[in-house]
Amino acid sequence: MNANDFKSNDPIAWCPGCGDFGIVNALKKSLVKLDKKPHEILLVSGIGQAAKLPHYINANCFNGLHGRALPAAAGAKIANRDLTVIVTTGDGDCYGEGGNHFLHNIRRNCDITVVVCDNQIYGLTKGQASPTTDTGYATKVQVNGVILEPFHPLAAAIALGCGFVARGFSGDPEHLSELIAEGVRHKGFALIDVLQPCVTFNKKNTHDWYSKRVYKLDKTYDPLDRTAAYAKAEEWGERIPLGIIYQKDRPCYEQLSGIDTALPLCRNCSPVDISGLLSDFE
Amino acid sequence: MVEFSVKICGEAGQGTQTIGNALCLAFKNSGYHVFAIQDFMSRIRGGNNFFQLRASHQPVSCPRRLSRLIITLDKASPRIHAASLEPGGVIIADCKKFLLDANQPGIFDVPLYTIAAGFGDEMYINSAAAGIAAYICALGLPALGAVFNKIFSAKGGEITAKNCQAAEAGYKYAAANFKGQRFDCAPSAAGKYLLNGNDAIALAAIRAGCKFYTAYPMSPSTGIMTTIAEYASRCGILVEQAEDEIAAVNMAIGASFAGARAMAATSGGGFMLMMEGVSLAGMTETPLVVADIQRPAPATGFPTRTEQADLDFLLSAGHGEFARLIFTPGTPQEAFALTLKAFDLAEKYQIPAFILSDQYLADSYCDAAELDFQSPVEKRRIISFEESATVNNYKRYCLTDSGISPQAVPGWIKEAIYADSDEHTPEGHITEDAAIRVQMVEKRLYKKMAGLTREIVAPTAFSLDGADIVLVGFGSTYGLLRELSLASGKRKIGAVHLSQAWPFPSEIMAGLLKGHKRIFTLENNAGAQLAKLLRRETGITAEGSILKFDGRPFSMEDAQEKIPE
Ligand SMILES: Cc1ncc(C[n+]2csc(CCOP(=O)(O)OP(=O)(O)O)c2C)c(N)n1
Ligand code: SF4
């Protein structure tokens, strides 16, 4: 497999220069690294610019509702456990509209990888604040600047016990593709929050803004150390860390529920003889 | 005596349901047809609940207002329920404990609490009372003992033995002290099984091969989840309690897209949260089965009571226009058959299919025959695992005359499948093309509706020939309509029951109602929703509607009093 095998014919509808281009390329690279075939992968998304991404890759796609990518992805993984399920979502889609599912799917811990294209703004609806917009940033709705503290997805995920928490940058697709591949290899819910410039609506957190601040965590950083991970997750401003922030193995949903060893549910939906059960109703 | 009703009343937690159930089984096993309703408050302890069963030598399918025997387990019950005693009937009460005058007519004073104390715990009052009922109803102790052994078996030998002994003590007390006439009604051949509407839906889902059930607990739908959960490991089903109904419906859709048969159930408030998901199933053409077990609304309403007010809601649930299917089963047997059919048609047409039930049907027990569970089950409609090997050039939404594009499962075919909630091309990619939009709307709405309309479940007609008045109802009022049409009276009553509300059986209804001047709908709601639907779909205007919206089902008598002269 090479990146061309994942090429889709669907014309891309993003603005030229959008950070999402870097993410789609990184995702293709990681699929090559993982040695997956297009039909073995299911990309699930909600609604937003980021959520259009599955159309731009040759792989199975379920592009569902705004905010609801995670439950659809969990349902698909539970039903058809042989699929490699990757969610491509946005900061609004995943942390705003889908916040409750974010919380509970980290707990549920299905073996899915969640790539959040975090442009710190609502792109598709033309530039309103998202849960991760920096305080003070003014939009047509938040005319005097955002007054709230942003949501901290990485710290929240660590607090919730997420077993793989990472941050990538669309401007470094090679590094990002490594993170995504690692996330897929991790058995359980893997979160990769990807800094992504929105050239049209986020005039603060631009490619240059990110490039000046991001740095890669090196070998001296231990992602198994939860306390250190909290500190890293909160680091923002002058320096922003990229890489695997926190990692911990724990049993995933498929193992806990026992479906990992049974025939995939989707293969097993023929009519069932219930005469043995009916006797309980005699 | 051809039939009689027995009511068991007490506080929540006193076991009215346990012995109600036991008596139902004992009657059924003795050859009586039975029908039972449960009336309970939204609380775990205290309050006042009752279980009312009707036993007869012929099939019965709705409650009567009055009971011949009323068993009271707490002090409040004799006062609350005395008015529902049949003339000549008996109230069992512990007069000393309840501070009642034992010499009142109709009271059979039994020291229930003293008998129970003999077994070391007040909780045995209900079993003692069941023994008394078994005597008065001429059931015989062995019939009750056999049922007790079965239903208490999970609680261990000692508890079972004590319950049996308490029943025996009650039975013997009644044999020695009851001076009235025992009931007897020449039982005939009752059905082999006893089940309620929720059990029937759960069993049908299992039968249909549903392997993923997801829901958020909500009365009165929760029984479906607990029944499926009970058999889940035996049948290889995964039951997942979702974080909310939005997650439940989206998980079910994800699972269904990925090739599994999936289902969710809820009540009105939860269904409301599922609506966007319903629309998603319509747009992405993903099979989805959802049961709405109605309770009185708006908002939280009466959590444990009954209503039929979600009909309008389901007809238009989910934004936008797409084909859907709404079954409105009238009995547990029908709930079983139509749930099976819902799975098949949801998959055949790749649409959302709804089963509209209510608390009354969900919690009502009736006897059912072996035959009721033998409806044939269709094979799955998706491209099978084996066939998948030969699929190429697959388009998820390819245009066809039937509007149905074969459903392939991701991972099974060797190509990518694209499904989208945005308007899409036949390949499944996002488009804003006007011509494609028109084709896709025609596919999802016109073509699928045309197919569904060709396989409508016909309404059931009762005694329409020469009827003076025709009653029309849907869903849980089936039994009532049937019995009203059988009852003798001044006017000859005919009835029509709809088991499918959408697509509406317009032509069949027009044919059935042709020539009938006096048509009334009978509905457990305030808005006469069926009357409006009937007019909209057939042009037939009902003369009026017999409505009940106090959260309780119609008894025969409630309905008879409201049928106009
Ligand atoms: C229920 C619902 N509410 C609102 C919308 C409108 N909507 C579409 S995308 C979006 C926000 C997208 O933001 P984000 O997830 O950050 O993605 P981006 O477009 O920035 O990539 C909103 C509010 C919708 N489609 N559905
Ligand atoms: S609006 Fe922003 S996020 Fe959306 S495509 Fe344009 S640049 Fe990308």
mmCIF file of all heavy atoms in Angstrom, chain A residues 39 55 57 60-61 63-64 71 80 100-101 108 253 268 271-272 277 279-282, chain B residues 28 150 194 207 211 231 238 240 243-244 251 258 410-411 417-421 428-429:
data_model
loop_
_atom_site.group_PDB
_atom_site.id
_atom_site.type_symbol
_atom_site.label_atom_id
_atom_site.label_comp_id
_atom_site.label_asym_id
_atom_site.label_seq_id
_atom_site.Cartn_x
_atom_site.Cartn_y
_atom_site.Cartn_z
ATOM 1 N N HIS A 39 -10.502 -1.054 2.551
ATOM 2 C CA HIS A 39 -11.780 -1.601 3.031
ATOM 3 C C HIS A 39 -11.707 -2.068 4.488
ATOM 4 O O HIS A 39 -12.723 -2.402 5.079
ATOM 5 C CB HIS A 39 -12.250 -2.742 2.120
ATOM 6 C CG HIS A 39 -11.472 -4.006 2.278
ATOM 7 N ND1 HIS A 39 -10.304 -4.257 1.598
ATOM 8 C CD2 HIS A 39 -11.694 -5.089 3.060
ATOM 9 C CE1 HIS A 39 -9.847 -5.449 1.942
ATOM 10 N NE2 HIS A 39 -10.667 -5.973 2.832
ATOM 11 N N HIS A 55 -14.296 11.847 3.245
ATOM 12 C CA HIS A 55 -14.582 11.810 1.805
ATOM 13 C C HIS A 55 -13.307 11.924 0.976
ATOM 14 O O HIS A 55 -13.294 11.561 -0.191
ATOM 15 C CB HIS A 55 -15.525 12.952 1.418
ATOM 16 C CG HIS A 55 -16.924 12.714 1.893
ATOM 17 N ND1 HIS A 55 -17.773 11.834 1.270
ATOM 18 C CD2 HIS A 55 -17.617 13.229 2.931
ATOM 19 C CE1 HIS A 55 -18.941 11.817 1.904
ATOM 20 N NE2 HIS A 55 -18.868 12.664 2.917
ATOM 21 N N ILE A 57 -10.495 10.486 1.491
ATOM 22 C CA ILE A 57 -9.636 9.312 1.632
ATOM 23 C C ILE A 57 -10.392 8.118 1.064
ATOM 24 O O ILE A 57 -11.621 8.023 1.235
ATOM 25 C CB ILE A 57 -9.288 9.063 3.120
ATOM 26 C CG1 ILE A 57 -8.392 10.198 3.626
ATOM 27 C CG2 ILE A 57 -8.629 7.699 3.318
ATOM 28 C CD1 ILE A 57 -7.713 9.923 4.941
ATOM 29 N N ASN A 60 -13.705 3.260 4.007
ATOM 30 C CA ASN A 60 -15.117 3.342 4.371
ATOM 31 C C ASN A 60 -15.376 4.614 5.159
ATOM 32 O O ASN A 60 -14.525 5.046 5.949
ATOM 33 C CB ASN A 60 -15.510 2.143 5.229
ATOM 34 C CG ASN A 60 -15.475 0.851 4.448
ATOM 35 O OD1 ASN A 60 -16.157 0.718 3.433
ATOM 36 N ND2 ASN A 60 -14.651 -0.093 4.892
ATOM 37 N N CYS A 61 -16.573 5.171 4.945
ATOM 38 C CA CYS A 61 -16.887 6.448 5.592
ATOM 39 C C CYS A 61 -18.302 6.456 6.103
ATOM 40 O O CYS A 61 -19.238 6.087 5.390
ATOM 41 C CB CYS A 61 -16.672 7.556 4.554
ATOM 42 S SG CYS A 61 -17.746 8.994 4.718
ATOM 43 N N ASN A 63 -20.334 9.476 7.613
ATOM 44 C CA ASN A 63 -20.350 10.886 7.972
ATOM 45 C C ASN A 63 -21.731 11.184 8.578
ATOM 46 O O ASN A 63 -22.696 11.370 7.880
ATOM 47 C CB ASN A 63 -20.089 11.710 6.706
ATOM 48 C CG ASN A 63 -20.005 13.208 6.954
ATOM 49 O OD1 ASN A 63 -19.819 13.977 6.025
ATOM 50 N ND2 ASN A 63 -20.169 13.654 8.178
ATOM 51 N N GLY A 64 -21.780 11.136 9.902
ATOM 52 C CA GLY A 64 -23.069 11.229 10.595
ATOM 53 C C GLY A 64 -23.471 12.638 10.966
ATOM 54 O O GLY A 64 -23.313 13.567 10.174
ATOM 55 N N PRO A 71 -20.569 8.164 19.269
ATOM 56 C CA PRO A 71 -21.456 7.005 19.456
ATOM 57 C C PRO A 71 -21.610 6.169 18.184
ATOM 58 O O PRO A 71 -21.678 4.935 18.273
ATOM 59 C CB PRO A 71 -22.794 7.617 19.891
ATOM 60 C CG PRO A 71 -22.683 9.083 19.695
ATOM 61 C CD PRO A 71 -21.224 9.420 19.667
ATOM 62 N N ASN A 80 -18.740 -4.554 14.395
ATOM 63 C CA ASN A 80 -17.855 -5.077 13.354
ATOM 64 C C ASN A 80 -16.422 -4.849 13.822
ATOM 65 O O ASN A 80 -15.720 -3.952 13.349
ATOM 66 C CB ASN A 80 -18.165 -4.313 12.053
ATOM 67 C CG ASN A 80 -17.598 -4.984 10.823
ATOM 68 O OD1 ASN A 80 -16.630 -5.726 10.909
ATOM 69 N ND2 ASN A 80 -18.202 -4.696 9.677
ATOM 70 N N ASN A 100 -20.833 15.195 25.846
ATOM 71 C CA ASN A 100 -21.218 14.065 26.701
ATOM 72 C C ASN A 100 -20.674 12.752 26.147
ATOM 73 O O ASN A 100 -20.284 11.865 26.902
ATOM 74 C CB ASN A 100 -22.743 14.005 26.823
ATOM 75 C CG ASN A 100 -23.193 13.187 28.019
ATOM 76 O OD1 ASN A 100 -22.496 13.135 29.038
ATOM 77 N ND2 ASN A 100 -24.330 12.538 27.902
ATOM 78 N N HIS A 101 -20.637 12.654 24.820
ATOM 79 C CA HIS A 101 -20.124 11.413 24.227
ATOM 80 C C HIS A 101 -18.611 11.314 24.397
ATOM 81 O O HIS A 101 -18.067 10.225 24.525
ATOM 82 C CB HIS A 101 -20.487 11.341 22.741
ATOM 83 C CG HIS A 101 -21.930 11.621 22.473
ATOM 84 N ND1 HIS A 101 -22.935 10.933 23.121
ATOM 85 C CD2 HIS A 101 -22.537 12.514 21.662
ATOM 86 C CE1 HIS A 101 -24.105 11.401 22.701
ATOM 87 N NE2 HIS A 101 -23.888 12.361 21.823
ATOM 88 N N ARG A 108 -15.955 4.338 28.067
ATOM 89 C CA ARG A 108 -16.350 3.102 27.376
ATOM 90 C C ARG A 108 -15.109 2.409 26.808
ATOM 91 O O ARG A 108 -15.025 1.194 26.781
ATOM 92 C CB ARG A 108 -17.356 3.454 26.278
ATOM 93 C CG ARG A 108 -18.025 2.273 25.655
ATOM 94 C CD ARG A 108 -19.213 2.700 24.772
ATOM 95 N NE ARG A 108 -20.414 2.924 25.543
ATOM 96 C CZ ARG A 108 -21.122 4.054 25.545
ATOM 97 N NH1 ARG A 108 -20.760 5.075 24.784
ATOM 98 N NH2 ARG A 108 -22.203 4.181 26.293
ATOM 99 N N TYR A 253 -13.058 -1.964 25.759
ATOM 100 C CA TYR A 253 -14.452 -2.413 25.842
ATOM 101 C C TYR A 253 -14.640 -3.804 25.236
ATOM 102 O O TYR A 253 -15.345 -4.648 25.795
ATOM 103 C CB TYR A 253 -15.344 -1.404 25.108
ATOM 104 C CG TYR A 253 -16.809 -1.727 25.164
ATOM 105 C CD1 TYR A 253 -17.608 -1.247 26.195
ATOM 106 C CD2 TYR A 253 -17.413 -2.519 24.184
ATOM 107 C CE1 TYR A 253 -18.952 -1.547 26.257
ATOM 108 C CE2 TYR A 253 -18.751 -2.825 24.234
ATOM 109 C CZ TYR A 253 -19.523 -2.340 25.272
ATOM 110 O OH TYR A 253 -20.853 -2.651 25.325
ATOM 111 N N ASN A 268 -23.355 -12.487 12.825
ATOM 112 C CA ASN A 268 -24.099 -13.443 13.643
ATOM 113 C C ASN A 268 -25.562 -13.040 13.833
ATOM 114 O O ASN A 268 -26.153 -13.321 14.862
ATOM 115 C CB ASN A 268 -23.380 -13.499 15.005
ATOM 116 C CG ASN A 268 -23.737 -14.728 15.785
ATOM 117 O OD1 ASN A 268 -24.213 -15.699 15.217
ATOM 118 N ND2 ASN A 268 -23.528 -14.671 17.087
ATOM 119 N N PRO A 271 -31.727 -15.327 12.203
ATOM 120 C CA PRO A 271 -32.786 -15.617 13.169
ATOM 121 C C PRO A 271 -32.352 -16.630 14.224
ATOM 122 O O PRO A 271 -31.579 -17.540 13.961
ATOM 123 C CB PRO A 271 -33.895 -16.202 12.286
ATOM 124 C CG PRO A 271 -33.640 -15.642 10.935
ATOM 125 C CD PRO A 271 -32.164 -15.455 10.820
ATOM 126 N N VAL A 272 -32.855 -16.420 15.426
ATOM 127 C CA VAL A 272 -32.456 -17.237 16.570
ATOM 128 C C VAL A 272 -33.642 -18.109 16.998
ATOM 129 O O VAL A 272 -34.781 -17.641 17.024
ATOM 130 C CB VAL A 272 -32.043 -16.292 17.738
ATOM 131 C CG1 VAL A 272 -31.827 -17.071 19.021
ATOM 132 C CG2 VAL A 272 -30.794 -15.502 17.359
ATOM 133 N N LEU A 277 -36.089 -20.214 25.324
ATOM 134 C CA LEU A 277 -36.395 -19.067 26.192
ATOM 135 C C LEU A 277 -37.877 -19.023 26.537
ATOM 136 O O LEU A 277 -38.265 -18.618 27.628
ATOM 137 C CB LEU A 277 -36.024 -17.743 25.513
ATOM 138 C CG LEU A 277 -34.685 -17.616 24.802
ATOM 139 C CD1 LEU A 277 -34.476 -16.181 24.339
ATOM 140 C CD2 LEU A 277 -33.557 -18.033 25.726
ATOM 141 N N SER A 279 -39.871 -21.170 27.367
ATOM 142 C CA SER A 279 -40.319 -21.953 28.517
ATOM 143 C C SER A 279 -40.309 -21.112 29.801
ATOM 144 O O SER A 279 -41.043 -21.407 30.738
ATOM 145 C CB SER A 279 -39.450 -23.199 28.675
ATOM 146 O OG SER A 279 -38.110 -22.795 28.826
ATOM 147 N N ASP A 280 -39.515 -20.054 29.823
ATOM 148 C CA ASP A 280 -39.544 -19.165 30.994
ATOM 149 C C ASP A 280 -40.854 -18.404 31.103
ATOM 150 O O ASP A 280 -41.126 -17.763 32.113
ATOM 151 C CB ASP A 280 -38.408 -18.132 30.930
ATOM 152 C CG ASP A 280 -37.049 -18.760 31.150
ATOM 153 O OD1 ASP A 280 -37.001 -19.964 31.481
ATOM 154 O OD2 ASP A 280 -36.040 -18.055 30.986
ATOM 155 N N PHE A 281 -41.626 -18.402 30.032
ATOM 156 C CA PHE A 281 -42.884 -17.647 30.038
ATOM 157 C C PHE A 281 -44.086 -18.576 30.126
ATOM 158 O O PHE A 281 -45.204 -18.187 29.875
ATOM 159 C CB PHE A 281 -42.958 -16.759 28.791
ATOM 160 C CG PHE A 281 -41.858 -15.737 28.772
ATOM 161 C CD1 PHE A 281 -40.610 -16.046 28.241
ATOM 162 C CD2 PHE A 281 -42.043 -14.490 29.340
ATOM 163 C CE1 PHE A 281 -39.572 -15.127 28.257
ATOM 164 C CE2 PHE A 281 -41.015 -13.560 29.365
ATOM 165 C CZ PHE A 281 -39.768 -13.875 28.822
ATOM 166 N N GLU A 282 -43.828 -19.849 30.482
ATOM 167 C CA GLU A 282 -44.935 -20.808 30.599
ATOM 168 C C GLU A 282 -45.612 -20.652 31.940
ATOM 169 O O GLU A 282 -44.961 -20.325 32.921
ATOM 170 C CB GLU A 282 -44.400 -22.225 30.447
ATOM 171 C CG GLU A 282 -44.346 -22.650 28.994
ATOM 172 C CD GLU A 282 -43.759 -24.040 28.837
ATOM 173 O OE1 GLU A 282 -44.002 -24.900 29.692
ATOM 174 O OE2 GLU A 282 -43.031 -24.243 27.851
ATOM 175 N N LYS B 28 -53.735 -19.591 34.477
ATOM 176 C CA LYS B 28 -53.447 -20.037 33.108
ATOM 177 C C LYS B 28 -53.171 -21.545 33.079
ATOM 178 O O LYS B 28 -53.724 -22.269 32.250
ATOM 179 C CB LYS B 28 -52.249 -19.282 32.544
ATOM 180 C CG LYS B 28 -51.762 -19.794 31.209
ATOM 181 C CD LYS B 28 -50.407 -19.240 30.825
ATOM 182 C CE LYS B 28 -49.267 -19.772 31.656
ATOM 183 N NZ LYS B 28 -48.728 -21.067 31.304
ATOM 184 N N LYS B 150 -41.581 -22.327 41.012
ATOM 185 C CA LYS B 150 -40.885 -21.814 39.834
ATOM 186 C C LYS B 150 -40.408 -20.369 40.062
ATOM 187 O O LYS B 150 -39.237 -20.054 39.849
ATOM 188 C CB LYS B 150 -41.834 -21.893 38.638
ATOM 189 C CG LYS B 150 -41.149 -21.539 37.347
ATOM 190 C CD LYS B 150 -42.001 -21.871 36.144
ATOM 191 C CE LYS B 150 -41.314 -21.344 34.901
ATOM 192 N NZ LYS B 150 -42.129 -21.385 33.712
ATOM 193 N N LEU B 194 -47.522 -16.984 29.166
ATOM 194 C CA LEU B 194 -48.059 -15.760 29.741
ATOM 195 C C LEU B 194 -47.000 -14.689 29.543
ATOM 196 O O LEU B 194 -45.881 -14.819 30.043
ATOM 197 C CB LEU B 194 -48.307 -15.950 31.243
ATOM 198 C CG LEU B 194 -48.914 -14.736 31.938
ATOM 199 C CD1 LEU B 194 -50.408 -14.634 31.630
ATOM 200 C CD2 LEU B 194 -48.717 -14.816 33.445
ATOM 201 N N ARG B 207 -35.355 -13.117 18.551
ATOM 202 C CA ARG B 207 -35.704 -14.024 17.450
ATOM 203 C C ARG B 207 -35.212 -13.464 16.114
ATOM 204 O O ARG B 207 -34.723 -14.190 15.253
ATOM 205 C CB ARG B 207 -37.230 -14.203 17.411
ATOM 206 C CG ARG B 207 -37.745 -15.006 16.243
ATOM 207 C CD ARG B 207 -37.845 -16.479 16.598
ATOM 208 N NE ARG B 207 -38.328 -17.291 15.499
ATOM 209 C CZ ARG B 207 -37.518 -18.035 14.726
ATOM 210 N NH1 ARG B 207 -36.230 -18.034 14.926
ATOM 211 N NH2 ARG B 207 -38.023 -18.775 13.759
ATOM 212 N N LYS B 211 -28.442 -8.177 17.522
ATOM 213 C CA LYS B 211 -27.262 -8.508 18.313
ATOM 214 C C LYS B 211 -26.715 -7.313 19.072
ATOM 215 O O LYS B 211 -25.743 -7.421 19.808
ATOM 216 C CB LYS B 211 -26.164 -9.084 17.398
ATOM 217 C CG LYS B 211 -26.437 -10.517 17.000
ATOM 218 C CD LYS B 211 -26.357 -11.460 18.195
ATOM 219 C CE LYS B 211 -26.706 -12.905 17.892
ATOM 220 N NZ LYS B 211 -28.119 -13.172 17.619
ATOM 221 N N TYR B 231 -31.157 -12.586 28.620
ATOM 222 C CA TYR B 231 -30.800 -13.654 27.677
ATOM 223 C C TYR B 231 -29.573 -13.316 26.835
ATOM 224 O O TYR B 231 -29.197 -14.086 25.952
ATOM 225 C CB TYR B 231 -31.992 -13.948 26.759
ATOM 226 C CG TYR B 231 -33.193 -14.431 27.537
ATOM 227 C CD1 TYR B 231 -34.334 -13.659 27.641
ATOM 228 C CD2 TYR B 231 -33.138 -15.649 28.220
ATOM 229 C CE1 TYR B 231 -35.424 -14.091 28.384
ATOM 230 C CE2 TYR B 231 -34.213 -16.086 28.972
ATOM 231 C CZ TYR B 231 -35.359 -15.305 29.053
ATOM 232 O OH TYR B 231 -36.411 -15.736 29.799
ATOM 233 N N LEU B 238 -25.180 -8.121 22.571
ATOM 234 C CA LEU B 238 -24.518 -7.128 23.395
ATOM 235 C C LEU B 238 -25.543 -6.058 23.782
ATOM 236 O O LEU B 238 -26.146 -5.436 22.912
ATOM 237 C CB LEU B 238 -23.348 -6.492 22.656
ATOM 238 C CG LEU B 238 -22.545 -5.695 23.660
ATOM 239 C CD1 LEU B 238 -21.345 -6.489 24.109
ATOM 240 C CD2 LEU B 238 -22.146 -4.368 23.141
ATOM 241 N N GLU B 240 -25.935 -2.530 25.626
ATOM 242 C CA GLU B 240 -25.128 -1.425 26.116
ATOM 243 C C GLU B 240 -26.036 -0.306 26.613
ATOM 244 O O GLU B 240 -26.863 0.226 25.868
ATOM 245 C CB GLU B 240 -24.210 -0.907 24.998
ATOM 246 C CG GLU B 240 -23.373 0.317 25.361
ATOM 247 C CD GLU B 240 -22.344 0.089 26.485
ATOM 248 O OE1 GLU B 240 -22.238 -1.038 27.015
ATOM 249 O OE2 GLU B 240 -21.669 1.063 26.832
ATOM 250 N N GLU B 243 -25.090 6.572 27.334
ATOM 251 C CA GLU B 243 -25.026 7.731 28.235
ATOM 252 C C GLU B 243 -26.272 8.603 28.106
ATOM 253 O O GLU B 243 -26.589 9.372 29.006
ATOM 254 C CB GLU B 243 -23.762 8.561 27.997
ATOM 255 C CG GLU B 243 -23.544 9.076 26.575
ATOM 256 C CD GLU B 243 -22.718 8.122 25.720
ATOM 257 O OE1 GLU B 243 -22.768 6.899 25.978
ATOM 258 O OE2 GLU B 243 -22.029 8.579 24.795
ATOM 259 N N ASP B 244 -26.967 8.508 26.999
ATOM 260 C CA ASP B 244 -28.231 9.219 26.816
ATOM 261 C C ASP B 244 -28.890 8.649 25.558
ATOM 262 O O ASP B 244 -28.294 7.840 24.856
ATOM 263 C CB ASP B 244 -28.031 10.745 26.719
ATOM 264 C CG ASP B 244 -27.014 11.150 25.668
ATOM 265 O OD1 ASP B 244 -26.979 10.508 24.606
ATOM 266 O OD2 ASP B 244 -26.255 12.112 25.895
ATOM 267 N N MET B 251 -25.510 5.060 18.300
ATOM 268 C CA MET B 251 -24.777 3.785 18.391
ATOM 269 C C MET B 251 -25.498 2.711 17.582
ATOM 270 O O MET B 251 -24.864 1.925 16.867
ATOM 271 C CB MET B 251 -24.660 3.328 19.849
ATOM 272 C CG MET B 251 -23.528 3.977 20.583
ATOM 273 S SD MET B 251 -22.992 2.968 21.985
ATOM 274 C CE MET B 251 -23.984 3.676 23.231
ATOM 275 N N ALA B 258 -22.624 -0.818 10.176
ATOM 276 C CA ALA B 258 -21.499 -1.758 10.172
ATOM 277 C C ALA B 258 -21.949 -3.207 10.073
ATOM 278 O O ALA B 258 -21.153 -4.116 10.223
ATOM 279 C CB ALA B 258 -20.641 -1.549 11.409
ATOM 280 N N PRO B 410 -19.290 -2.686 5.509
ATOM 281 C CA PRO B 410 -17.890 -2.279 5.440
ATOM 282 C C PRO B 410 -16.967 -3.395 5.957
ATOM 283 O O PRO B 410 -17.264 -4.022 6.969
ATOM 284 C CB PRO B 410 -17.823 -1.040 6.343
ATOM 285 C CG PRO B 410 -19.061 -1.060 7.163
ATOM 286 C CD PRO B 410 -20.092 -1.804 6.373
ATOM 287 N N GLY B 411 -15.905 -3.608 5.220
ATOM 288 C CA GLY B 411 -14.982 -4.670 5.617
ATOM 289 C C GLY B 411 -15.281 -5.979 4.913
ATOM 290 O O GLY B 411 -14.383 -6.785 4.693
ATOM 291 N N ILE B 417 -17.010 2.079 1.259
ATOM 292 C CA ILE B 417 -18.431 2.441 1.229
ATOM 293 C C ILE B 417 -18.541 3.829 1.858
ATOM 294 O O ILE B 417 -17.996 4.057 2.942
ATOM 295 C CB ILE B 417 -19.254 1.438 2.067
ATOM 296 C CG1 ILE B 417 -19.080 0.019 1.525
ATOM 297 C CG2 ILE B 417 -20.717 1.850 2.130
ATOM 298 C CD1 ILE B 417 -19.604 -1.064 2.467
ATOM 299 N N TYR B 418 -19.255 4.717 1.202
ATOM 300 C CA TYR B 418 -19.443 6.068 1.748
ATOM 301 C C TYR B 418 -20.911 6.287 2.093
ATOM 302 O O TYR B 418 -21.770 6.123 1.231
ATOM 303 C CB TYR B 418 -19.006 7.133 0.741
ATOM 304 C CG TYR B 418 -17.515 7.145 0.480
ATOM 305 C CD1 TYR B 418 -16.952 6.322 -0.496
ATOM 306 C CD2 TYR B 418 -16.671 7.964 1.219
ATOM 307 C CE1 TYR B 418 -15.593 6.320 -0.732
ATOM 308 C CE2 TYR B 418 -15.303 7.974 0.994
ATOM 309 C CZ TYR B 418 -14.767 7.151 0.013
ATOM 310 O OH TYR B 418 -13.417 7.156 -0.215
ATOM 311 N N ALA B 419 -21.173 6.658 3.332
ATOM 312 C CA ALA B 419 -22.539 6.997 3.743
ATOM 313 C C ALA B 419 -22.494 8.404 4.325
ATOM 314 O O ALA B 419 -21.548 8.751 5.041
ATOM 315 C CB ALA B 419 -23.039 6.017 4.781
ATOM 316 N N ASP B 420 -23.497 9.194 4.029
ATOM 317 C CA ASP B 420 -23.434 10.581 4.481
ATOM 318 C C ASP B 420 -24.771 11.152 4.900
ATOM 319 O O ASP B 420 -25.805 10.843 4.322
ATOM 320 C CB ASP B 420 -22.833 11.465 3.385
ATOM 321 C CG ASP B 420 -22.154 12.683 4.000
ATOM 322 O OD1 ASP B 420 -22.867 13.508 4.597
ATOM 323 O OD2 ASP B 420 -20.918 12.771 3.927
ATOM 324 N N SER B 421 -24.716 12.004 5.933
ATOM 325 C CA SER B 421 -25.921 12.697 6.394
ATOM 326 C C SER B 421 -26.157 13.974 5.596
ATOM 327 O O SER B 421 -27.238 14.560 5.650
ATOM 328 C CB SER B 421 -25.792 13.036 7.878
ATOM 329 O OG SER B 421 -24.881 14.100 8.070
ATOM 330 N N GLY B 428 -22.216 8.350 -2.519
ATOM 331 C CA GLY B 428 -22.213 8.682 -1.101
ATOM 332 C C GLY B 428 -21.385 9.900 -0.767
ATOM 333 O O GLY B 428 -21.167 10.213 0.404
ATOM 334 N N HIS B 429 -20.922 10.611 -1.792
ATOM 335 C CA HIS B 429 -20.167 11.835 -1.532
ATOM 336 C C HIS B 429 -21.116 13.040 -1.475
ATOM 337 O O HIS B 429 -22.173 13.045 -2.093
ATOM 338 C CB HIS B 429 -19.113 12.053 -2.618
ATOM 339 C CG HIS B 429 -17.968 11.079 -2.531
ATOM 340 N ND1 HIS B 429 -17.238 10.897 -1.372
ATOM 341 C CD2 HIS B 429 -17.435 10.241 -3.453
ATOM 342 C CE1 HIS B 429 -16.302 9.984 -1.584
ATOM 343 N NE2 HIS B 429 -16.400 9.560 -2.833
#
